[in-house]
C-alpha cells in the first residue's frame, strides 16, 4: 500500500500554530534551501533522510534520500516531526519542526515549518566506523598507496588511523567501502589535523576537496543507509 493511501480521505483538524521563534533565529528560511536533513518523530524514531527544498514562509518540500521507516507510525493525518540538518556556511546544526504530508515521487510537503534553535552539534551527520580503507599520496614524502582504518566519516570529511606519517595540507586519495552492496567510495582529501599516537601511529582529520553536490548527496545517502542498518541490527 502506498504511503498516500495510508491517509484518511477526510480533512484533518488544522494543527495548532507554531510556537514563537526564539530570539536570534533568522526569520527567513530561504538560507536553509538544499540542506541535508534527518527527519524523526517527536520521540526520536528515525523516519527518513531528505534534502530541504523551497523553504519559505513556514513551508518547504522534503526530497527523500532514504527509504522511509513508517511502519509503526500513524499517518492518518499530517505527522508532526523534528527535522535537523547541518548548515555548511553557518557551520551550525539547525533544528526545526513541522508537519509533513506525502506527495508523489518521494516528496513530502512540510507545513508549519519552524526553526527551534541553532547549535554546534554536527555528530548526527557523522558515522562512526572501524572500516579497512586505503590512502594514496601521489608525490612527495611517503608517496604511494597505504592501508589505513577509517574511524568516522561525515559529508565534509573523515578521520583515519594509519601507521604512515603524513603532514598538514598533504593531498590524499581516500578509498573505502561503506556498504557491502555498494561500490567503494573514493574521495580526494586534504590533511587538516595530525594527532600522533605515540608508537601506535597517527590519526588524521581529512577534509574532502572538489566534491560536487551529487558527490555529497551520495555520501549522505550511504552514511544514513549504514546508520539505519546499525539501528535495525541493534533492535
Amino acid at each position: 500500500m502506498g504511503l498516500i493511501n495510508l491517509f484518511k480521505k477526510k480533512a484533518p483538524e488544522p494543527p495548532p500554530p507554531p510556537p514563537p521563534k526564539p530570539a536570534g533565529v533568522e526569520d527567513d528560511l530561504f538560507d536553509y534551501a538544499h540542506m541535508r536533513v534527518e527527519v524523526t518523530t517527536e520521540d526520536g524514531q528515525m523516519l527518513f533522510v531528505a534534502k530541504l527544498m523551497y523553504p519559505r514562509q513556514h513551508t518547504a518540500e522534503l526530497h527523500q534520500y532514504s527509504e522511509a521507516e513508517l511502519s509503526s507510525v500513524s499517518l492518518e493525518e499530517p505527522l508532526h516531526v523534528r527535522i535537523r540538518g547541518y548548515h555548511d556556511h553557518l557551520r551550525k546544526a539547525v533544528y526545526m519542526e513541522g508537519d509533513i504530508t506525502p506527495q508523489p515521487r518521494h516528496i513530502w510537503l512540510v507545513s508549519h515549518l519552524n526553526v527551534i534553535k541553532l547549535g554546534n552539534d554536527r555528530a548526527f551527520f557523522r558515522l562512526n566506523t572501524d572500516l579497512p580503507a586505503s590512502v594514496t599520496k601521489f608525490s612527495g614524502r611517503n608517496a604511494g598507496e597505504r592501508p589505513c582504518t577509517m574511524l568516522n566519516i561525515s559529508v565534509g570529511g573523515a578521520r583515519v588511523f594509519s601507521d604512515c606519517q603524513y603532514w598538514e595540507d598533504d593531498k590524499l586519495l581516500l578509498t573505502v567501502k561503506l556498504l557491502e552492496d555498494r561500490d567503494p567510495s573514493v574521495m580526494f582529501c586534504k590533511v587538516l589535523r595530525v594527532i600522533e599516537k605515540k608508537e601506535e601511529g597517527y590519526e588524521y582529520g581529512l577534509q574532502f576537496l572538489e566534491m560536487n553536490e551529487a558527490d555529497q548527496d551520495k555520501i549522505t545517502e550511504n552514511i544514513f543507509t549504514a546508520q539505519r542498518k546499525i539501528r535495525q541490527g541493534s533492535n
Side-chain angles (χ1 to χ4, degrees):
M1 179 183 295
L3 292 178
I4 295 177
N5 293 333
L6 295 177
F7 282 74
K8 290 183 177 179
K9 299 299 183 181
K10 66 178 183 179
E13 292 293 324
K21 190 177 295 296
V25 174
E26 298 178 33
D27 290 331
D28 192 353
L29 296 172
F30 182 77
D31 289 340
Y32 304 121
H34 300 275
M35 187 171 64
R36 298 163 188 85
V37 297
E38 179 184 74
V39 182
T40 66
T41 62
E42 291 186 276
D43 61 2
Q45 179 183 340
M46 175 73 171
L47 297 179
F48 56 86
V49 181
K51 181 179 289 186
L52 187 73
M53 302 294 292
Y54 316 120
R56 203 72 170 182
Q57 298 298 321
H58 301 292
T59 65
E61 290 182 3
L62 293 172
H63 291 208
Q64 183 180 320
Y65 284 131
S66 66
E67 291 300 318
E69 298 185 6
L70 299 168
S71 57
S72 62
V73 176
S74 173
L75 294 180
E76 296 178 352
E77 58 184 34
L79 180 65
H80 191 73
V81 297
R82 293 181 177 175
I83 303 167
R84 59 181 185 172
Y86 187 80
H87 196 288
D88 292 328
H89 296 296
L90 293 177
R91 296 187 180 277
K92 294 285 186 180
V94 182
Y95 295 82
M96 301 176 168
E97 64 179 9
D99 302 302
I100 62 171
T101 54
Q103 307 295 308
R105 301 188 301 276
H106 299 288
I107 294 175
W108 296 78
L109 179 65
V110 189
S111 60
H112 299 92
L113 181 64
N114 189 47
V115 177
I116 302 303
K117 67 174 181 176
L118 304 179
N120 295 317
D121 177 22
R122 63 184 301 178
F124 56 88
F125 270 100
R126 183 182 299 118
L127 176 66
N128 290 323
T129 63
D130 188 20
L131 294 174
S134 68
V135 289
T136 303
K137 187 179 180 187
F138 292 101
S139 61
R141 295 174 290 180
N142 291 338
E145 182 178 9
R146 306 291 178 89
C148 68
T149 300
M150 190 179 73
L151 304 176
N152 64 47
I153 184 171
S154 69
V155 177
R159 185 163 61 95
V160 303
F161 175 83
S162 174
D163 59 7
C164 184
Q165 185 174 13
Y166 302 105
W167 292 265
E168 287 187 12
D169 296 326
D170 276 354
K171 304 297 193 303
L172 306 173
L173 199 67
L174 172 64
T175 303
V176 63
K177 193 166 187 177
L178 288 173
L179 298 164
E180 287 297 328
D181 57 348
R182 304 283 176 92
D183 292 332
S185 298
V186 181
M187 288 78 69
F188 185 47
C189 313
K190 178 175 76 172
V191 177
L192 286 184
R193 293 177 299 279
V194 180
I195 303 174
E196 187 170 356
K197 308 296 285 186
K198 296 183 179 180
E199 297 180 358
E200 299 174 9
Y202 305 86
E203 283 187 12
Y204 299 100
L206 305 178
Q207 178 187 16
F208 297 149
L209 302 176
E210 300 179 8
M211 296 192 69
N212 58 36
E213 189 171 354
D215 294 332
Q216 293 176 339
D217 289 348
K218 181 56 66 176
I219 290 178
T220 300
E221 181 184 356
N222 286 343
I223 286 174
F224 281 102
T225 298
Q227 285 182 337
R228 187 173 68 251
K229 289 184 176 182
I230 291 171
R231 290 190 184 99
Q232 291 172 341
S234 62
N235 291 336

